[in-house]
Amino acid sequence: KTGDESALNYLPGDHLGVCPSNNPEQVDAILKSVVSNVDVDTPLVVETKQRDEAGQPVDIWIEEQRFPDWCSIRYALTHYLDITSPPTPQMIALMLKQASPGEEKERLEILAKGSSDYEDWKYEKFPTLAEFFDEFKSLEVPVSFLFTQLPILQPRFYSISSCPKLNPGEVHLTVAVVTYTTHETHNGNSLEEAWRGKSNSCSRQHWTRKVLKNFI
């Protein structure tokens, strides 16, 4: 519904950006895999330790400004962070610090190089973050890592297929829901499947926040 908002005037063929939500089951799977000593529904703020010009850590902590100050771990993973794209070689390299010595760490070291081995692995599995953690169970990634290193979930743009003269006060979108199967017979769904037909509401409340220290 657009109401009478002049800022929402449009023509057929224009595009509208929609901010989707992640699948709650995938969020739960990630929360079971990360290391956290806080309630996943408690609003948090992450502070990152700074470095001097020589690259040495200094005793100065700066608050991350990626999320609203009432955002919890679960809410960030559900509404703000991209958890469906395969981890990049750069992110895997950062996670190596939290891997236990052994075959899994050796495999992660190969993937972190971003070579053809990584491209083959990505093409065959195209894993979500939850599936990545399931494959490399020795990883003990702190929740602060997710808060600071995961990319932000980007809006999806769709063609407007309605006309304001025919459908006043409304906007209709043309949306495709994609289901795919990887080489390892994994069945997946696009983000559109997670939010299609659902409406999410959010009201700001007053919270007591817990500080997570983050140093990477």
Side-chain angles (χ1 to χ4, degrees):
K1 301 292 185 180
T2 62
D4 296 323
E5 295 290 337
S6 59
L8 295 177
N9 291 337
Y10 68 90
L11 294 173
D14 287 347
H15 290 79
L16 180 68
V18 177
C19 295
S21 298
N22 289 310
N23 189 316
E25 294 181 358
Q26 289 199 25
V27 173
D28 289 338
I30 292 171
L31 291 174
K32 293 178 181 178
S33 302
V34 297
V35 178
S36 176
N37 59 354
V38 297
D39 183 356
V40 298
D41 295 306
T42 297
L44 300 174
V45 58
V46 176
E47 294 182 346
T48 301
K49 196 171 189 179
Q50 302 301 292
R51 297 178 182 269
D52 59 22
E53 295 181 356
Q56 298 300 314
V58 294
D59 194 22
I60 299 177
W61 295 85
I62 302 297
E63 180 179 335
E64 293 284 338
Q65 299 292 333
R66 303 185 81 197
F67 313 109
D69 56 11
W70 43 265
C71 191
S72 67
I73 298 171
R74 186 189 302 278
Y75 198 89
L77 289 173
T78 302
H79 300 287
Y80 285 104
L81 295 171
D82 183 357
I83 64 173
T84 59
S85 299
T88 63
Q90 294 78 8
M91 183 173 294
I92 294 174
L94 291 174
M95 292 188 194
L96 276 171
K97 301 176 182 179
Q98 283 80 41
S100 301
E103 293 183 3
E104 284 193 2
K105 186 169 185 177
E106 293 175 358
R107 177 63 173 159
L108 287 169
E109 289 173 343
I110 294 175
L111 296 178
K113 295 178 180 179
S115 61
S116 59
D117 291 299
Y118 171 81
E119 294 300 329
D120 292 342
W121 168 81
K122 178 181 175 181
Y123 176 73
E124 291 179 3
K125 298 187 176 182
F126 207 82
T128 63
L129 185 61
E131 292 161 348
F132 175 80
F133 285 146
D134 186 60
E135 181 178 356
F136 299 99
K137 293 182 173 62
S138 67
L139 282 171
E140 296 183 353
V141 177
V143 71
S144 58
F145 178 91
L146 303 184
F147 256 56
T148 58
Q149 301 302 315
L150 283 181
I152 295 296
L153 191 60
Q154 298 300 312
R156 271 54 176 171
F157 289 89
Y158 301 96
S159 296
I160 295 177
S161 54
S162 57
C163 175
K165 292 183 179 180
L166 184 62
N167 306 103
E170 298 180 358
V171 57
H172 301 177
L173 302 179
T174 298
V175 179
V177 178
V178 180
T179 299
Y180 60 89
T181 301
T182 67
H183 281 232
E184 296 210 343
T185 66
H186 159 72
N187 293 321
N189 296 100
S190 62
L191 270 174
E192 289 80 357
E193 181 68 17
W195 62 263
R196 184 172 63 96
K198 296 182 180 179
S199 61
N200 296 308
S201 60
C202 173
S203 58
R204 179 163 182 153
Q205 302 181 39
H206 294 286
W207 302 95
T208 300
R209 299 184 296 167
K210 184 177 181 63
V211 176
L212 288 180
K213 298 294 186 181
N214 177 60
F215 178 59
I216 297 178

